[in-house]
Amino acid sequence: MRLFWTFFWTFLLVQMATYVMGSMQGIGYNFATGALLGVIVTILVFVIAALIPDEPAGDHHH
């Protein structure tokens, strides 16, 4: 379920960003570009989440 919600929100946010950036550049909105970027960003989010250690950082008092 975590995969679905991550993809869902990433997909929506990337679609909005694609629309806004396209409008700022004066080019038309392209759903396929946003969809491809949404999939790529979702994969990157999961890769980065897998690389971040899950254990607590510990005590950093000197």
Side-chain angles (χ1 to χ4, degrees):
M1 197 57 148
R2 188 178 74 166
L3 173 66
F4 170 77
W5 288 115
T6 302
F7 175 72
F8 176 78
W9 287 111
T10 303
F11 186 81
L12 286 181
L13 291 172
V14 169
Q15 288 293 333
M16 287 187 286
T18 302
Y19 175 76
V20 169
M21 287 188 273
S23 294
M24 290 172 53
Q25 294 176 358
I27 58 176
Y29 170 69
N30 188 350
F31 179 81
T33 301
L36 178 63
L37 288 174
V39 170
I40 291 170
V41 171
T42 301
I43 292 169
L44 286 175
V45 165
F46 278 106
V47 167
I48 291 170
L51 294 176
I52 296 175
D54 202 14
E55 60 271 349
D59 193 13
H60 291 294
H61 294 247
H62 295 304

